[in-house]
């Protein structure tokens, strides 16, 4: 048995049909609406436990994804009564994000984009909600405050300038659209400039020779000189954490959209090629691309496939026709696997959207804690719905 099927074999795979995509989206929207009634204003946590999400307050870096599911459902839903229900629940969620910003609850980190794009920026774009706009602008200001000029990057985690925290992570490429958006809204160039400098620093060091990526990059805390790459959530230093690689796919598409710098097009192709040549038989990657078929005891990360599909669909808007068709067809192949083998089809099994995600798996060689291994993860649910909506309603809304 081959570990990975390879890019050539991918070309033979079947795409999800329009009907399959539509059926999947109908199910996902229904699941969201049922969850809204179940959660009653609470927020699902980052990952399910035994297939079901514990719920709580709007307190984690992941809280925006659930609100993003509401807005995508609102955008897609045609029944006026259900649409109104989604709108009023979405508006309540915006107020919760506004309070969170006022109280400055757990905002001292870089995940302002993950939190405030799918919640507040979407609310503003879809419904003209002004509280959402003001809240997202404050969030962009907060993200800007994480910038370290000496190394030209946004510090990911921890108190600014505290010991051991002179670090960026690949995931942050997805936080940057908040800065691009704030620049356009406010007319102030500094947000865009910071996004551009952070991207440039990231892309100068994050890819290895073979197109695989580091999860995190460390810098000298005083001079800002690049020091070294390391993993946190991957299997080991030098392996390719599957979700990091897919953050890189979507992240380079965002970088190219915003700068039209041809270097990012090249980076997108390299990082994508590595990802695509490390997919197992059913196309859903193991949690680190080091693993493949034959490593059946290792869990998958379905969320990384959903994120990659969104990145391919985003980039296909800017590519020459033949290449655009290749990536958009590829997305439908990846979605077919997610729909057939990973989407939740029975609420008795799970209240999530996508089974078999992995948040973080502890190994002797990485620095994360074990959490959400082989569970639904809330961003996997969200990006699955984003990918479906991107195909079914291409002109409807803009995302990350
Ligand atoms: N951004 C954190 C993660 O992907 O787990």
């Amino acid at each position: 048995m081959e570990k990975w099927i390879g890019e050539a074999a991918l070309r033979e795979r079947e795409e999800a049909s329009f009907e399959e995509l539509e059926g999947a989206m109908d199910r996902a929207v229904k699941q969201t609406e049922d969850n809204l009634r179940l959660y009653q204003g609470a927020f699902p946590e980052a990952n399910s436990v035994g297939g079901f999400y514990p719920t709580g307050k709007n307190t984690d870096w992941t809280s925006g994804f659930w609100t993003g599911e509401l807005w995508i459902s609102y955008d897609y839903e045609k029944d006026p009564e259900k649409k109104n229900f989604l709108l009023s629940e979405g508006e309540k969620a915006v107020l919760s994000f506004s309070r969170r910003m006022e109280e400055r609850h757990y905002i001292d980190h870089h995940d302002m984009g993950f939190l405030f794009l799918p919640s507040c920026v979407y609310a503003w774009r879809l419904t003209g909600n002004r509280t959402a706009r003001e809240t997202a602008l404050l969030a962009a200001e907060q993200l800007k405050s994480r910038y370290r000029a000496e190394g030209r990057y946004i510090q990911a985690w921890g108190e600014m300038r505290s010991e051991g925290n002179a670090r960026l992570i690949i995931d942050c490429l997805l936080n940057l659209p908040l800065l691009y958006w704030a620049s356009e809204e406010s007319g102030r160039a500094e947000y865009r400039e910071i996004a551009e400098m952070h991207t440039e620093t990231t892309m100068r060091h994050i890819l290895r020779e073979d197109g695989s990526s580091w999860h995190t990059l460390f810098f000298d805390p005083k001079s800002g000189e690049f020091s070294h790459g390391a993993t946190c959530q991957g299997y080991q230093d030098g392996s390719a954490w599957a979700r990091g690689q897919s953050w890189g796919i979507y992240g380079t598409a965002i970088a190219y959209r915003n700068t039209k710098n041809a270097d990012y097009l090249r980076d997108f192709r390299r990082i994508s090629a590595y990802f695509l040549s490390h997919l197992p038989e059913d196309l859903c990657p193991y949690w680190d691309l080091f693993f493949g078929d034959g490593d059946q005891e290792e869990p998958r990360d379905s969320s990384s496939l959903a994120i990659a599909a969104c990145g391919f669909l985003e980039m296909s808007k800017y590519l020459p026709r033949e290449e655009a068709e290749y990536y958009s067809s590829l997305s439908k192949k990846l979605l077919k696997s997610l729909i057939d083998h990973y989407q939740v089809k029975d609420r008795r099994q799970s209240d999530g959207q996508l089974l078999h995600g992995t948040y973080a798996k502890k190994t002797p060689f990485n620095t994360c804690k074990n959490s959400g291994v082989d569970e639904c993860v809330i961003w996997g649910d969200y990006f699955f719905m984003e990918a479906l909506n991107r195909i079914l309603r291409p002109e409807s809304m803009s995302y990350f």
Side-chain angles (χ1 to χ4, degrees), residues 61 110-111 114 157 169 171 215 233 241 243 247 359 379:
W61 71 272
H110 70 157
D111 283 328
F114 283 131
W157 299 319
I169 72 172
D171 322 27
H215 178 198
Q233 280 159 267
W241 177 45
R243 196 159 62 255
W247 291 137
Y359 185 171
W379 55 87

Side-chain angles (χ1 to χ4, degrees), residues 334-390:
L334 306 185
L335 281 167
K336 179 154 177 64
S337 171
L338 288 178
I339 295 167
D340 288 352
H341 309 300
Y342 295 85
Q343 184 178 21
V344 174
K345 301 194 181 73
D346 181 344
R347 270 187 81 71
R348 286 170 301 185
Q349 187 184 17
S350 168
D351 61 357
Q353 305 283 4
L354 272 191
L355 301 167
H356 308 302
T358 292
Y359 185 171
K361 185 167 188 253
K362 179 77 196 119
T363 74
F365 319 110
N366 68 19
T367 56
C368 65
K369 294 197 197 101
N370 229 32
S371 54
V373 175
D374 198 15
E375 289 286 350
C376 301
V377 290
I378 196 72
W379 55 87
D381 294 355
Y382 164 80
F383 284 107
F384 177 57
M385 291 182 75
E386 179 185 312
L388 293 171
N389 206 41
R390 274 176 177 272

Side-chain angles (χ1 to χ4, degrees), residues 282-331:
D282 81 350
L283 308 186
C284 184
Y286 287 79
W287 68 283
D288 190 297
L289 302 179
F290 178 74
F291 301 113
D293 286 326
D295 296 313
Q296 257 70 1
E297 71 288 359
E298 295 294 338
R300 310 292 180 116
D301 180 23
S302 56
S303 76
S304 69
L305 201 58
I307 295 162
C310 291
F312 295 142
L313 289 165
E314 179 61 26
M315 196 57 152
S316 60
K317 295 191 211 161
Y318 318 107
L319 293 168
R321 206 182 71 186
E322 205 175 312
E323 198 181 7
E325 278 169 8
Y326 166 71
Y327 283 110
S328 99
S329 158
L330 194 58
S331 307

